[in-house]
Amino acid sequence: MKIFTSELIREIDKATCEAQGITSLELMERAAAALCWEIESRFNTNQRMVIFAGPGNNGGDALAVARMLFEQGYKDIEVFLFNVMGKLSHDCNEEKNKISETEGINFTEVTKDFQPPEISEKDVVIDGLFGSGFKGPLQKGFLTLVNYINDSKAYVISIDVPTGLSGEWNQNVSRRDMIHANLTLTFQFPRLSFFFEENQEVLGEWKLLDIELDESKMKDIPVDFMLVEERNVRPLFKKRNEFTGKRDYGSALLFAGSVGMSGAAVLAAKGCLRTGVGLVTVHSAKVSLSILQTTVPEALFEPDRNEHFITDMSVHHNHQAIAVGPGLGVNEKTIDALENLLKNYKNPIVIDADALNCMARRPHMLSLLPAHSVITPHIGEFDRLFGDHSNNEERLKKAIDMAKYYNIVIVLKGHYTATVRPTGRVFFNSNGNPGMATAGSGDVLTGVITSFIAQGFHPDQAATLGVFVHGMAGDLAEEKWGEYGMLSSEIADCCAIALKNITSRKK
């Protein structure tokens, strides 16, 4: 699913009106009907509704919703239209005229002084003050109103986005000075700002409402941000030829594990094997031999000369993919081995976990990464590599810059894991759950991405596919064991079921 900017959304709205032969006011009525339907499904007709409308089209939506709710039997409705500058958008003005002509609605147009209504936690507030095109911060009276609504503890429904939140970037804008919605209802596709953790407190639950915007226009517009869904992933997996052997599906080499952390190597190997790679070789400290051979007998084991940690990352055979990091540790000799690998190996490498921590100790190694290598940091590892950041919006901007600068793929892990390609395009993941925040989950992901590279997927694509399959596996594990009790080894095993589900469904 494409994620459009506010400017592009206005283009799509206009194209929809032209293609379908409707006016912008008719499209507004369609949007209001979708909003009204959703609100009706959640609240009965004796619920008190207090509706705040701004001077633009977001306010027009709110006015139309108020009128439609009244027509559906909601009688305890108060509507406030803020027209302090004496200028309404054309469609907002039309909706004002309609609501003014509707007998029985308690409607107030605020042009100067405003006496706010009493609001309590028993009430529903519909926020239609400012939409996604707003560029903050809020000023004066509107800021006072937002704080008043937040302090009321009422249930707040925001139209498009909570007032004060931009649809895209919100640098240097305090979330304290935004509407804190319980529910955000937006149209057709999500806004970029929905995918940053710091905005969750203002968004609450968010839901997309289909208002039948023009599909052809949406297909034609290129975007830099995407939300990856199963329908995007499914066509990329092809049915296997019956006359094949294991070497047709690639060989992967994992540099992983050290004393006390052999389990990370096990999990990476399982993730790799469960997603279809033909061969897996694990190079690890000698101490890991019995653990690997017992728990993952399908993997080959290549012992390091050192008993407790890896000191040599020489590549002795032809492998289609290499990964470094799970359970590696940060011994100086291990860091030396990693630096030698990066100096001598020229194909893309998957770098995770302690390999990232090793690189953070020697930042010049970033410039040694082969083109299109994949790094998979969580936010702590990302900040150790690229400096401290105060929020995820800042991190994503830095990730885009660094992916371009180093010509690498950055998988920035989180609730909506963002795969950032060297082109600057960003692919947010749509699945997964909090139960995946468990030890070893990232090691499994490393194995999955490495598996797909070994099978012939370009690293850009392998990273995006790996994150999605890993997330689906986590959801399958959660269904069986629950968020509290699921283990990373179970996520690894569920990767096979996830792939089976994806590839068995009709394309």
Side-chain angles (χ1 to χ4, degrees):
M1 178 188 293
K2 291 182 176 181
I3 301 170
F4 297 98
T5 63
S6 301
E7 183 178 348
L8 290 174
I9 290 169
R10 286 191 288 272
E11 289 185 24
I12 294 168
D13 287 348
K14 183 179 178 181
T16 298
C17 293
E18 292 174 353
Q20 298 178 8
I22 61 175
T23 66
S24 58
L25 184 62
E26 288 173 316
L27 183 61
M28 179 176 284
E29 291 278 309
R30 183 188 297 176
L35 289 163
C36 194
W37 179 268
E38 185 63 32
I39 293 168
E40 287 179 51
S41 72
R42 295 172 183 251
F43 299 97
N44 59 41
T45 54
N46 61 9
Q47 175 64 55
R48 180 175 183 241
M49 303 273 183
V50 183
I51 299 172
F52 296 100
N57 284 351
N58 194 249
D61 290 334
L63 295 177
V65 167
R67 174 173 47 81
M68 291 179 184
L69 286 173
F70 182 78
E71 292 168 351
Q72 291 300 314
Y74 291 80
K75 300 305 181 186
D76 195 359
I77 295 178
E78 290 183 65
V79 186
F80 297 88
L81 169 62
F82 289 83
N83 187 16
V84 293
M85 301 300 290
K87 184 178 180 181
L88 302 176
S89 72
H90 174 271
D91 289 349
C92 184
N93 191 62
E94 290 295 312
E95 293 295 351
K96 169 196 159 183
N97 293 335
K98 288 184 180 183
I99 204 167
S100 298
E101 296 166 1
T102 304
E103 293 184 6
I105 291 184
N106 187 352
F107 170 67
T108 302
E109 182 175 3
V110 179
T111 58
K112 190 175 181 182
D113 297 326
F114 172 58
Q115 184 63 41
E118 290 189 11
I119 309 172
S120 75
E121 67 273 8
K122 296 179 181 179
D123 300 321
V124 170
V125 167
I126 297 179
D127 161 35
L129 290 169
F130 295 105
S132 57
F134 175 79
K135 305 297 181 185
L138 290 167
Q139 302 292 329
K140 299 180 181 178
F142 284 113
L143 179 57
T144 302
L145 176 59
V146 162
N147 290 330
Y148 178 76
I149 293 170
N150 290 339
D151 291 342
S152 74
K153 307 302 181 185
Y155 186 95
V156 180
I157 301 172
S158 285
I159 297 172
D160 191 22
V161 298
T163 289
L165 182 73
S166 168
E168 288 76 52
W169 309 107
N170 290 271
Q171 189 173 5
N172 300 323
V173 181
S174 172
R175 273 69 188 170
R176 182 185 62 242
D177 298 334
M178 301 175 181
I179 286 284
H180 283 54
N182 300 89
L183 172 65
T184 299
L185 299 176
T186 196
F187 306 114
Q188 207 79 38
F189 23 69
R191 310 301 185 248
L192 176 61
S193 57
F194 290 12
F195 297 97
F196 301 124
E197 180 182 356
E198 57 270 18
N199 295 334
Q200 180 58 41
E201 64 176 301
V202 300
L203 285 164
E205 174 195 354
W206 58 269
K207 183 172 182 178
L208 302 182
L209 303 180
D210 185 358
I211 58 170
E212 300 178 8
L213 295 178
D214 185 55
E215 292 284 347
S216 61
K217 182 66 174 178
M218 289 188 280
K219 288 179 182 177
D220 290 342
I221 297 178
V223 296
D224 291 327
F225 301 95
M226 292 280 296
L227 179 64
V228 179
E229 300 174 298
E230 186 175 336
R231 62 190 176 91
N232 307 123
V233 167
R234 193 181 304 120
L236 301 176
F237 291 101
K238 309 300 181 185
K239 184 175 176 60
R240 289 189 166 187
N241 191 310
E242 294 181 0
F243 293 91
T244 54
K246 58 181 177 284
R247 296 201 177 274
D248 293 308
Y249 304 110
S251 173
L253 173 63
L254 309 178
F255 290 106
S258 59
V259 63
M261 294 191 288
S262 301
V266 170
L267 292 168
K270 281 189 173 183
C272 206
L273 286 161
R274 284 294 193 185
T275 46
V277 73
L279 291 164
V280 172
T281 300
V282 178
H283 180 108
S284 190
K286 287 181 180 178
V287 71
S288 300
L289 172 60
S290 60
I291 296 172
L292 264 296
Q293 293 285 267
T294 303
T295 55
V296 197
E298 298 88 352
L300 301 172
F301 187 83
E302 184 179 276
D304 194 88
R305 58 177 174 266
N306 188 282
E307 183 73 21
H308 300 296
F309 50 83
I310 293 175
T311 60
D312 179 18
M313 295 188 189
S314 302
V315 181
H316 304 292
H317 304 285
N318 183 31
H319 300 282
Q320 282 67 53
I322 292 177
V324 189
L328 201 65
V330 290
N331 186 280
E332 283 297 314
K333 292 184 178 179
T334 302
I335 300 175
D336 289 339
L338 174 60
E339 185 165 352
N340 287 331
L341 173 67
L342 296 180
K343 286 178 177 177
N344 293 294
Y345 192 77
K346 301 307 176 186
N347 293 326
I349 302 174
V350 181
I351 307 285
D352 181 38
D354 275 339
L356 297 172
N357 294 326
C358 290
M359 294 180 71
R361 296 191 178 195
R362 297 184 191 176
H364 67 272
M365 284 200 285
L366 279 166
S367 63
L368 300 177
L369 286 170
H372 292 279
S373 288
V374 180
I375 68 172
T376 61
H378 56 59
I379 60 174
E381 293 161 344
F382 185 87
D383 284 3
R384 283 192 284 275
L385 278 173
F386 300 114
D388 291 337
H389 300 82
S390 61
N391 56 53
N392 284 324
E393 179 180 307
E394 286 185 7
R395 286 188 187 91
L396 183 63
K397 287 181 175 180
K398 178 58 75 69
I400 292 169
D401 290 342
M402 294 300 95
K404 291 178 180 178
Y405 182 80
Y406 291 109
N407 196 23
I408 59 175
V409 181
I410 300 179
V411 176
L412 186 54
K413 294 186 286 194
H415 176 49
Y416 296 108
T417 293
T419 301
V420 185
R421 296 184 177 181
T423 59
R425 296 192 74 200
V426 178
F427 294 77
F428 292 102
N429 196 48
S430 62
N431 56 19
N433 62 82
M436 299 178 72
T438 186
S441 179
D443 302 322
V444 176
L445 176 61
T446 296
V448 174
I449 294 172
T450 307
S451 170
F452 290 147
I453 294 175
Q455 292 176 65
F457 288 101
H458 191 278
D460 294 11
Q461 204 171 56
T464 307
L465 294 176
V467 170
F468 185 86
V469 171
H470 180 254
M472 180 181 279
D475 288 342
L476 290 167
E478 187 273 334
E479 287 178 12
K480 186 170 183 180
W481 288 282
E483 287 184 355
Y484 288 89
M486 58 191 282
L487 302 176
S488 291
S489 56
E490 293 155 354
I491 297 174
D493 289 340
C494 285
C495 283
I497 303 172
L499 268 179
K500 178 183 177 184
N501 290 347
I502 292 169
T503 56
S504 63
R505 289 169 184 154
K506 291 183 179 180
K507 292 186 171 30

